[in-house]
Amino acid sequence: MEAQRDTSVLELGYARPRAHSIHPSLAPAIALAPRPSVPEVRSQIPAEISARSLLLGMAVFVGALLLYAGALCCVLLAPWWPLQIVCSVLAGLFIATVFVVGHDACHGSLTPYEGLNQLLGRIAFLPSWTPYTAWEFAHNRVHHAFTNLRGKDYAWAPLSKPEYDRLSALGRWLQRHYRSLWGLGSYYLIEYWLAHLLFPTKAERQDMKRPLGFALDLVSVLVFIALELWALSLWCHTLVPSPSFWGPFTSLPAVLLVAIVLPFAVWNWGMAFAIFQHHTHPRAVWYAAREEWDFFAGQVESTVHAQMPRWLEWVSACIMQHTAHHVNRRIPLYRLARSQGYLERAYAEQIIIEPWSFAALGRTLARCQLYDYDNHRWLNFKGRQTIGPNPIMREFKLHGLQRGRRSG
């Protein structure tokens, strides 16, 4: 019975391979169905569901800022240093919440007003030290336009085995570190924030076509950091060292650690964790050839809905309902859950849904380390396949089909 169900799924033309895929020699022939168009996919979500609201947008924005500000105040006012550390971790999580709100504003989806969205987005990006213009280019115009297309989309783009082997010993160690539970945050810090947001290449700055806007946004981030340091320095001058071992931190280095460094580290880990989960999965496909890629392949078939515990769904502002966000980035975060439901009913066999757990994350980290772009299969760092070749992509290559035309 199970074998029959798998065959029927494959015959629809949209593969839903399992963790242990069928060996290529045993896989049934696949009838490649016509690909849904962009308007067809977006029409699955009723227009009224994705409507933007000024009231809801402002409520989400103010609420997220209050959460972050409250956690930061608790860091500074907590009577014991262990409580300061707990509040510091919460402050890092709430930086992520504020950022997701800013991310929505940067897409123009938080409120109905474009100018207001740009203002709110710039404010919301300050706690995460993110220049608005650089993020708008890297995320909106690169990642969303070319999701999972290697050479365009660089967010967690996996290396091939030959590329990995050509790296230095340090480079190989870094790749293994990045795809480990503790190394996730290092990836976002080094490979995304520093490389593309804070110090984008000359070519990226030219492609932004907004040199003044980038310069102003970068200066605003630097001014915000300077104000943070100045305010904490003034605060520490008012503190008296506690005679108790369990008393709060009062020295400037210790206060900086719990008020800025630790929250920023937690934010980096959380952000790397989110974008890793969004498009990395044993069933997700990465593409190196443009003719193999289309809208449906990147935005629907290779965008993951990680089903989070309710509290994490709340902290992450529903951004893990990610397929709906990629299908139409104008859907506000407060409408994503319902929109995702419509999509999953329409494309039940195509959308990747992962009930999240640390065990599931560990399995993905172990299986999705390198990628064989020729055969469309995931490898570990030793070059051994961890997932069988994607059956749809195998047939696609055999038939020599072109981008957006996977029909027989």
Side-chain angles (χ1 to χ4, degrees):
M1 194 69 181
E2 182 70 12
Q4 290 177 352
R5 195 176 75 85
D6 280 349
T7 301
S8 66
V9 169
L10 292 172
E11 287 175 348
L12 288 172
Y14 305 108
R16 190 175 190 177
R18 299 179 178 278
H20 303 286
S21 298
I22 300 171
H23 190 276
S25 63
L26 301 178
I30 300 168
L32 297 177
R35 307 291 286 168
S37 65
V38 177
E40 180 183 346
V41 176
R42 289 180 172 169
S43 69
Q44 302 301 326
I45 304 171
E48 63 272 14
I49 297 299
S50 58
R52 293 168 290 171
S53 164
L54 176 62
L55 181 61
L56 286 176
M58 290 304 301
V60 167
F61 174 78
V62 172
L65 280 182
L66 288 177
L67 286 172
Y68 169 64
L72 194 57
C73 287
C74 289
V75 169
L76 300 177
L77 298 174
W80 312 289
W81 64 262
L83 183 57
Q84 285 183 301
I85 292 176
V86 171
C87 293
S88 180
V89 172
L90 288 176
L93 292 175
F94 292 142
I95 287 176
T97 309
V98 174
F99 177 87
V100 174
V101 174
H103 155 272
D104 240 41
C106 191
H107 278 305
S109 57
L110 187 64
T111 77
Y113 304 104
E114 194 59 38
L116 180 60
N117 284 327
Q118 291 182 16
L119 174 63
L120 298 181
R122 284 178 164 85
I123 294 171
F125 278 176
L126 289 176
S128 61
W129 302 350
T130 303
Y132 181 92
T133 302
W135 174 264
E136 189 274 337
F137 172 76
H139 185 71
N140 295 13
R141 292 162 56 191
V142 175
H143 171 65
H144 270 268
F146 305 102
T147 305
N148 279 38
L149 179 60
R150 177 75 188 278
K152 292 286 189 178
D153 184 8
Y154 39 72
W156 282 112
L159 298 178
S160 66
K161 184 63 165 63
E163 288 171 325
Y164 174 76
D165 290 340
R166 286 195 296 268
L167 295 175
S168 65
L170 176 60
R172 291 193 297 272
W173 178 86
L174 268 176
Q175 291 300 318
R176 294 193 299 272
H177 175 67
Y178 290 155
R179 291 178 185 262
S180 68
L181 186 62
W182 300 109
L184 289 173
S186 304
Y187 175 86
Y188 183 77
L189 176 70
I190 297 170
E191 302 291 344
Y192 206 97
W193 182 67
L194 287 173
H196 297 289
L197 301 182
L198 215 57
F199 303 110
T201 64
K202 182 179 180 181
E204 287 175 320
R205 293 196 303 273
Q206 289 175 342
D207 287 343
M208 285 181 203
K209 299 179 181 178
R210 295 172 59 191
L212 180 59
F214 171 68
L216 291 175
D217 289 333
L218 182 59
V219 168
S220 69
V221 167
L222 296 176
V223 169
F224 181 80
I225 295 171
L227 288 175
E228 281 187 309
L229 296 174
W230 175 71
L232 286 178
S233 176
L234 291 180
W235 173 257
C236 288
H237 278 93
T238 68
L239 301 178
V240 178
S242 172
S244 169
F245 171 79
W246 298 105
F249 294 125
T250 56
S251 68
L252 181 58
V255 172
L256 286 175
L257 179 67
V258 292
I260 293 182
V261 177
L262 182 55
F264 191 68
V266 170
W267 143 251
N268 274 269
W269 191 94
M271 182 58 171
F273 158 81
I275 59 177
F276 178 83
Q277 295 276 178
H278 287 163
H279 303 284
T280 306
H281 187 273
R283 282 177 51 200
V285 178
W286 274 82
Y287 301 86
R290 180 71 173 265
E291 62 270 15
E292 295 180 345
W293 178 93
D294 62 14
F295 174 87
F296 196 80
Q299 318 301 2
V300 177
E301 292 176 326
S302 293
T303 298
V304 181
H305 172 198
Q307 294 177 320
M308 311 300 291
R310 187 176 296 275
W311 70 273
L312 265 179
E313 193 72 54
W314 179 72
V315 169
S316 64
C318 297
I319 198 58
M320 306 310 283
Q321 313 261 357
H322 208 59
T323 323
H325 172 64
H326 264 263
V327 163
N328 186 352
R329 61 192 184 188
R330 285 287 195 170
I331 299 173
L333 63 89
Y334 42 84
R335 313 280 195 204
L336 280 179
R338 291 186 65 190
S339 300
Q340 184 75 24
Y342 278 98
L343 277 181
E344 289 178 2
R345 285 190 288 274
Y347 303 111
E349 297 298 335
Q350 293 84 5
I351 294 177
I352 303 171
I353 304 172
E354 177 74 48
W356 187 86
S357 67
F358 272 109
L361 173 59
R363 288 193 296 270
T364 301
L365 286 166
R367 292 172 177 172
C368 304
Q369 297 174 344
L370 301 174
Y371 196 75
D372 179 352
Y373 288 91
D374 290 330
N375 298 296
H376 289 286
R377 57 186 178 178
W378 286 98
L379 312 172
N380 61 22
F381 285 120
K382 294 181 179 179
R384 297 171 184 163
Q385 81 169 34
T386 57
I387 302 295
N390 183 279
I392 285 291
M393 290 310 304
R394 186 191 63 206
E395 291 296 308
F396 178 88
K397 293 175 76 70
L398 286 175
H399 287 273
L401 302 179
Q402 296 299 309
R403 178 188 177 201
R405 296 181 58 195
R406 294 196 194 172
S407 56

